[in-house]
Every structure is written in structure tokens, then in C-alpha cells.
Amino acid sequence: MADSALATITFGRAAPGICVRDIQAAQDFYSRVLGFEKVFENGDPIGFMVMKKDRAEIHLSQKPDHKASTVNVMHMFVNDVAALYAICEVEGVRIIKSLADKDYGQRAFVFADPDGNRIDIGERRS
């Protein structure tokens, strides 16, 4: 029953929820370095925020005692991974894994946001 019902369901966009210690600092980082814009906020003080750029969306949640994971919390595809890598270097972003061609058909790198959240950025190779 579940398999046949699932075959008729179409999934829409998925947006990662990322915890941050300082939501305003996170907004500044994702705006300034990656070009995201705030499209929604909730709470007084703000405890939740939606940031968007093109088809990518990030949901930020304020958590003052947040401790970053040692695994990637988000993977994003871009159309020019080398250009974004160069921007991250210029902005002094902490690079976890340098830009490299991967055996699974992507060129990718991993960086940490100011809260230590690991973000994997990739571009499919032709």
C-alpha cells in the first residue's frame, strides 16, 4: 500500500534547518558571502529566519548554546564552484576541504560558517 501511495506523491523543495548561536551574525554571513536574502523572520527577538538565493533556501534557528556537528549539515549545487571557492577564500571563510574533483562526478569543497556548521558546495562535472 505505501509503495503505491508514494508513487503518486511529488516532493517539493527541501530546505535545511541550521542552528546558529547568533542569528544576526549568521544573516550577515549568508548575505555578504553567499548572496542570500532574508525572506521571512519570526519571533521577538528573532529566533527563526528564512534566507533564499535563487532556488536555494536555508532556515536559520537561533540556539545560543549551539555546538556544530562534525558532519556536513547542507549540500548545495552551484554553477561555478571555483568562483564561489575564490569568494570564500577572499572573505576569510574557514575551508574544511579544499576544492577538488571528486570520483563521484563533482567538483566540490566544504567550508564552515561562523558557527562551525559544515556546508558542502558542489558542481556537477560534465
Side-chain angles (χ1 to χ4, degrees):
M1 171 69 178
D3 289 342
S4 62
L6 280 174
T8 65
I9 298 170
T10 301
F11 286 74
R13 67 154 178 79
I18 298 175
C19 291
V20 296
R21 290 183 296 273
D22 180 340
I23 204 162
Q24 297 301 332
Q27 176 190 0
D28 175 65
F29 172 81
Y30 284 101
S31 296
R32 184 177 44 78
V33 177
L34 301 180
F36 279 74
E37 293 183 27
K38 177 178 64 174
V39 296
F40 178 80
E41 65 182 36
N42 190 23
D44 185 18
I46 299 166
F48 177 76
M49 182 181 296
V50 176
M51 309 269 317
K52 189 169 185 176
K53 177 164 177 45
D54 306 316
R55 293 176 36 213
E57 197 169 296
I58 302 168
H59 294 187
L60 301 175
S61 292
Q62 176 91 12
K63 187 175 181 223
D65 62 347
H66 170 65
K67 297 205 182 343
S69 173
T70 57
V71 298
N72 299 339
V73 298
M74 176 172 57
H75 180 86
M76 284 192 296
F77 284 106
V78 297
N79 69 335
D80 191 343
V81 71
L84 185 55
Y85 185 81
I87 290 168
C88 287
E89 286 187 311
V90 167
E91 291 291 332
V93 174
R94 185 167 62 112
I95 304 297
I96 304 296
K97 292 183 180 178
S98 296
L99 182 62
D101 291 333
K102 305 296 183 178
D103 59 0
Y104 46 84
Q106 291 180 27
R107 189 156 203 227
F109 72 99
V110 176
F111 71 85
D113 75 3
D115 289 285
N117 296 305
R118 294 175 180 222
I119 313 296
D120 186 7
I121 305 291
E123 177 181 4
R124 289 183 180 96
R125 292 184 293 161
S126 341

